[in-house]
Amino acid sequence: MFRFFIEFVKHPKTVGAVMPSGKALAEKMMEPIQFDRADCIVEYGPGTGSFTRKLLKYRKEGTKLILIENNPVFYDRLKKEFGMQKEVVMILGSAENVNGYLAQYGIKTADYIVSGLPFTSLPKDISEKILLATQRAIGTKGRFLTFQYSLVKRKFFEKYFTIAGCLLELKNIPPAYVMVMRKKAERGQRV
């Protein structure tokens, strides 16, 4: 927890919170995922691994879990804890390059992308690049899940996705919204 706080102080725009997500929020993030159908799950910004632990607990055998972390301190910690797990890929890099990472492993699209990124504090141009890459990475069948402490970015997300659901977790400090999104249908196309 102390290490997380130090990283927040050093990088407030990319860490985005003073403490890691709680267990209740991690469970809430898992609710929309159909683990029995997921062959590939990507996690953006796993940080200290709150969501990662749940993804590993619930995923079916053979599901590839790709963790993309851009903070070297968190990456090293994650690698120590999860690096030896079967079907876990650790990447020190940026979420905006998700499609290149998927291609490296012969994966066309991810079934789910779970995000711990602080879109409220990320620069707009970086957020846009990440969301455009995410649209392509989930294709027509995948889902993008992220949490936010307010719905202030809802309209911003709606430029890129259709919001399929919004769950509220009151037990988290502070309370958080889990947004479930899918790619917007193009004219004449059903998603």
Side-chain angles (χ1 to χ4, degrees):
M1 181 110 60
F2 181 69
R3 178 47 75 212
F4 193 93
F5 179 74
I6 294 297
E7 290 305 304
F8 169 76
V9 171
K10 287 168 44 179
H11 311 284
K13 285 193 184 284
T14 57
V15 174
V18 296
M19 59 195 289
S21 301
K23 289 179 182 174
L25 178 56
E27 283 292 340
K28 188 67 76 175
M29 286 288 281
M30 301 303 112
E31 282 182 24
I33 300 175
Q34 293 179 320
F35 285 97
D36 59 328
R37 296 182 183 179
D39 295 317
C40 176
I41 301 172
V42 175
E43 184 179 2
Y44 293 164
T48 58
S50 298
F51 300 156
T52 311
R53 285 180 202 88
K54 297 296 181 185
L55 290 167
L56 287 168
K57 177 181 176 182
Y58 295 124
R59 74 176 173 158
K60 72 175 172 57
E61 188 174 333
T63 298
K64 188 171 288 296
L65 179 58
I66 300 174
L67 308 175
I68 304 171
E69 178 57 62
N70 77 345
N71 180 303
V73 172
F74 291 151
Y75 173 82
D76 288 342
R77 181 177 172 175
L78 291 162
K79 192 161 187 156
K80 282 178 190 159
E81 186 173 348
F82 306 115
M84 299 304 287
Q85 294 271 350
K86 192 176 177 188
E87 299 292 337
V88 173
V89 175
M90 303 283 312
I91 296 170
L92 178 60
S94 174
E96 66 192 83
N97 300 319
V98 63
N99 293 291
Y101 304 141
L102 290 172
Q104 272 183 292
Y105 293 94
I107 300 166
K108 189 174 179 180
T109 58
D111 297 296
Y112 293 92
I113 296 179
V114 175
S115 174
L117 299 179
F119 286 101
T120 305
S121 60
L122 283 177
K124 186 178 180 193
D125 64 319
I126 301 236
S127 293
E128 288 173 339
K129 287 176 187 174
I130 291 169
L131 296 178
L132 285 168
T134 301
Q135 282 180 323
R136 192 167 140 224
I138 63 171
T140 57
K141 295 184 177 164
R143 295 292 181 263
F144 175 51
L145 286 75
T146 190
F147 78 93
Q148 301 289 290
Y149 296 119
S150 77
L151 294 177
V152 72
K153 285 287 188 180
R154 185 179 179 117
K155 289 275 186 229
F156 180 67
F157 289 127
E158 287 175 334
K159 286 174 25 183
Y160 301 91
F161 302 97
T162 297
I163 296 178
C166 187
L167 311 168
L168 176 60
E169 181 49 65
L170 292 169
K171 293 178 190 166
N172 195 65
I173 301 173
Y177 295 92
V178 173
M179 299 174 81
V180 183
M181 296 174 259
R182 66 178 191 268
K183 186 176 179 182
K184 273 186 182 275
E186 295 174 20
R187 253 180 150 33
Q189 177 189 26
R190 293 183 68 191
V191 177

